[in-house]
Amino acid sequence: MCTFLRVRWTINPRTAPQPWIACSGCGGFKPFSSSGKIRLNANGRKLDAWLIYKCSACDKTWNRAIFERQTVRSLAPAVLEALQTNDVEWIRAQEFDLDALRRKAQRIDEFTDLDIRKQILEEPDGCKALEIELVVAFPVNTRLDRLLASELRISRSRLHTLHDGAMLQIHPDRAGIMKRRIRDGMRIVLDLAGEADGHLVALAAATPQNND
Ligand SMILES: [Zn+2]
């Protein structure tokens, strides 16, 4: 009978993706970073909303259209309210909307600097297994094996061996899952019963690592 140490890792990327845009200020394609500011323009009954980006080299701005020529009535009330209050979470969702960014830019730089908050959900005495659930609200360009290696302090080769031997299970599983991006809702179950350093792995799972 297994008793699980259950933890939740809430993962937040620190740096928003940067699209490469032809800069009219310094010439050539440059990565642009979001200023976090929205510009609204009312034209009669039509509204435009842009997210303002800045060239990383010369600060020239680029206005990324979030929508154009929409009637107020056609917008969801939540969107209108977010625009009126400069809602940082809503703006962050736009900054991490990779599908929308890909329609504007051929190349997008993504970053792997993360904030990881660890919560213990259940902590039995003498745990024999570890269960981690991932909360990933924004797209994160980090491979699962890299995340687990750094946060559990286990080498990637050992992780792959454990996975091949079904001591490490990923839900939902698919081919090459260990090398794929982490996703919201993933569950990782690790059997620690046969691991001499199981208590250290469990400790690492429940405590913050120094990611800087
Ligand atoms: Zn520039």
Side-chain angles (χ1 to χ4, degrees), residues 23 25-26 30 55 57-60:
C23 181
C26 58
K30 295 282 159 57
C55 171
C58 74
D59 267 2
K60 178 88 181 169

mmCIF file with all atom_site columns, all heavy atoms in Angstrom, residues 23 25-26 30 55 57-60, ligand 1:
data_model
loop_
_atom_site.group_PDB
_atom_site.id
_atom_site.type_symbol
_atom_site.label_atom_id
_atom_site.label_alt_id
_atom_site.label_comp_id
_atom_site.label_asym_id
_atom_site.label_entity_id
_atom_site.label_seq_id
_atom_site.pdbx_PDB_ins_code
_atom_site.Cartn_x
_atom_site.Cartn_y
_atom_site.Cartn_z
_atom_site.occupancy
_atom_site.B_iso_or_equiv
_atom_site.pdbx_formal_charge
_atom_site.auth_seq_id
_atom_site.auth_comp_id
_atom_site.auth_asym_id
_atom_site.auth_atom_id
_atom_site.pdbx_PDB_model_num
ATOM   1  N  N   . CYS A 1 23 ? 12.486 46.622 -36.987 1.00 0.00 ? 23 CYS A N   1
ATOM   2  C  CA  . CYS A 1 23 ? 12.476 47.878 -36.237 1.00 0.00 ? 23 CYS A CA  1
ATOM   3  C  C   . CYS A 1 23 ? 12.751 49.039 -37.184 1.00 0.00 ? 23 CYS A C   1
ATOM   4  O  O   . CYS A 1 23 ? 13.753 49.038 -37.903 1.00 0.00 ? 23 CYS A O   1
ATOM   5  C  CB  . CYS A 1 23 ? 13.522 47.845 -35.130 1.00 0.00 ? 23 CYS A CB  1
ATOM   6  S  SG  . CYS A 1 23 ? 13.533 49.374 -34.164 1.00 0.00 ? 23 CYS A SG  1
ATOM   7  N  N   . GLY A 1 25 ? 13.371 51.949 -36.081 1.00 0.00 ? 25 GLY A N   1
ATOM   8  C  CA  . GLY A 1 25 ? 14.296 52.852 -35.386 1.00 0.00 ? 25 GLY A CA  1
ATOM   9  C  C   . GLY A 1 25 ? 15.744 52.522 -35.675 1.00 0.00 ? 25 GLY A C   1
ATOM   10 O  O   . GLY A 1 25 ? 16.515 53.372 -36.094 1.00 0.00 ? 25 GLY A O   1
ATOM   11 N  N   . CYS A 1 26 ? 16.115 51.254 -35.475 1.00 0.00 ? 26 CYS A N   1
ATOM   12 C  CA  . CYS A 1 26 ? 17.538 50.903 -35.634 1.00 0.00 ? 26 CYS A CA  1
ATOM   13 C  C   . CYS A 1 26 ? 17.781 49.990 -36.834 1.00 0.00 ? 26 CYS A C   1
ATOM   14 O  O   . CYS A 1 26 ? 18.920 49.657 -37.130 1.00 0.00 ? 26 CYS A O   1
ATOM   15 C  CB  . CYS A 1 26 ? 18.082 50.298 -34.344 1.00 0.00 ? 26 CYS A CB  1
ATOM   16 S  SG  . CYS A 1 26 ? 17.236 48.831 -33.774 1.00 0.00 ? 26 CYS A SG  1
ATOM   17 N  N   . LYS A 1 30 ? 14.558 42.887 -34.644 1.00 0.00 ? 30 LYS A N   1
ATOM   18 C  CA  . LYS A 1 30 ? 15.030 42.931 -33.263 1.00 0.00 ? 30 LYS A CA  1
ATOM   19 C  C   . LYS A 1 30 ? 13.952 42.328 -32.348 1.00 0.00 ? 30 LYS A C   1
ATOM   20 O  O   . LYS A 1 30 ? 12.761 42.394 -32.661 1.00 0.00 ? 30 LYS A O   1
ATOM   21 C  CB  . LYS A 1 30 ? 15.278 44.380 -32.822 1.00 0.00 ? 30 LYS A CB  1
ATOM   22 C  CG  . LYS A 1 30 ? 16.397 45.088 -33.563 1.00 0.00 ? 30 LYS A CG  1
ATOM   23 C  CD  . LYS A 1 30 ? 17.770 44.670 -33.044 1.00 0.00 ? 30 LYS A CD  1
ATOM   24 C  CE  . LYS A 1 30 ? 18.894 44.922 -34.015 1.00 0.00 ? 30 LYS A CE  1
ATOM   25 N  NZ  . LYS A 1 30 ? 19.053 46.282 -34.461 1.00 0.00 ? 30 LYS A NZ  1
ATOM   26 N  N   . CYS A 1 55 ? 11.461 48.074 -28.761 1.00 0.00 ? 55 CYS A N   1
ATOM   27 C  CA  . CYS A 1 55 ? 12.655 47.431 -29.320 1.00 0.00 ? 55 CYS A CA  1
ATOM   28 C  C   . CYS A 1 55 ? 13.707 47.301 -28.222 1.00 0.00 ? 55 CYS A C   1
ATOM   29 O  O   . CYS A 1 55 ? 13.962 48.242 -27.472 1.00 0.00 ? 55 CYS A O   1
ATOM   30 C  CB  . CYS A 1 55 ? 13.195 48.278 -30.468 1.00 0.00 ? 55 CYS A CB  1
ATOM   31 S  SG  . CYS A 1 55 ? 14.804 47.711 -31.068 1.00 0.00 ? 55 CYS A SG  1
ATOM   32 N  N   . ALA A 1 57 ? 16.782 47.135 -28.562 1.00 0.00 ? 57 ALA A N   1
ATOM   33 C  CA  . ALA A 1 57 ? 18.022 47.860 -28.856 1.00 0.00 ? 57 ALA A CA  1
ATOM   34 C  C   . ALA A 1 57 ? 17.843 49.377 -28.772 1.00 0.00 ? 57 ALA A C   1
ATOM   35 O  O   . ALA A 1 57 ? 18.719 50.076 -28.271 1.00 0.00 ? 57 ALA A O   1
ATOM   36 C  CB  . ALA A 1 57 ? 18.542 47.474 -30.239 1.00 0.00 ? 57 ALA A CB  1
ATOM   37 N  N   . CYS A 1 58 ? 16.706 49.893 -29.259 1.00 0.00 ? 58 CYS A N   1
ATOM   38 C  CA  . CYS A 1 58 ? 16.601 51.360 -29.367 1.00 0.00 ? 58 CYS A CA  1
ATOM   39 C  C   . CYS A 1 58 ? 15.333 51.923 -28.730 1.00 0.00 ? 58 CYS A C   1
ATOM   40 O  O   . CYS A 1 58 ? 15.111 53.137 -28.786 1.00 0.00 ? 58 CYS A O   1
ATOM   41 C  CB  . CYS A 1 58 ? 16.681 51.789 -30.832 1.00 0.00 ? 58 CYS A CB  1
ATOM   42 S  SG  . CYS A 1 58 ? 15.174 51.446 -31.774 1.00 0.00 ? 58 CYS A SG  1
ATOM   43 N  N   . ASP A 1 59 ? 14.504 51.072 -28.115 1.00 0.00 ? 59 ASP A N   1
ATOM   44 C  CA  . ASP A 1 59 ? 13.300 51.557 -27.426 1.00 0.00 ? 59 ASP A CA  1
ATOM   45 C  C   . ASP A 1 59 ? 12.189 52.048 -28.357 1.00 0.00 ? 59 ASP A C   1
ATOM   46 O  O   . ASP A 1 59 ? 11.176 52.562 -27.888 1.00 0.00 ? 59 ASP A O   1
ATOM   47 C  CB  . ASP A 1 59 ? 13.618 52.670 -26.406 1.00 0.00 ? 59 ASP A CB  1
ATOM   48 C  CG  . ASP A 1 59 ? 13.844 52.093 -25.016 1.00 0.00 ? 59 ASP A CG  1
ATOM   49 O  OD1 . ASP A 1 59 ? 13.797 50.849 -24.885 1.00 0.00 ? 59 ASP A OD1 1
ATOM   50 O  OD2 . ASP A 1 59 ? 14.058 52.880 -24.080 1.00 0.00 ? 59 ASP A OD2 1
ATOM   51 N  N   . LYS A 1 60 ? 12.378 51.932 -29.644 1.00 0.00 ? 60 LYS A N   1
ATOM   52 C  CA  . LYS A 1 60 ? 11.306 52.294 -30.586 1.00 0.00 ? 60 LYS A CA  1
ATOM   53 C  C   . LYS A 1 60 ? 10.076 51.431 -30.266 1.00 0.00 ? 60 LYS A C   1
ATOM   54 O  O   . LYS A 1 60 ? 10.215 50.236 -30.004 1.00 0.00 ? 60 LYS A O   1
ATOM   55 C  CB  . LYS A 1 60 ? 11.790 52.023 -32.009 1.00 0.00 ? 60 LYS A CB  1
ATOM   56 C  CG  . LYS A 1 60 ? 10.773 52.303 -33.090 1.00 0.00 ? 60 LYS A CG  1
ATOM   57 C  CD  . LYS A 1 60 ? 10.844 53.728 -33.534 1.00 0.00 ? 60 LYS A CD  1
ATOM   58 C  CE  . LYS A 1 60 ? 9.795  54.008 -34.607 1.00 0.00 ? 60 LYS A CE  1
ATOM   59 N  NZ  . LYS A 1 60 ? 9.678  55.446 -34.876 1.00 0.00 ? 60 LYS A NZ  1
HETATM 60 ZN ZN  . ZN  B 2 .  ? 15.213 49.288 -32.656 1.00 0.00 ? 1  ZN  B ZN  1
#
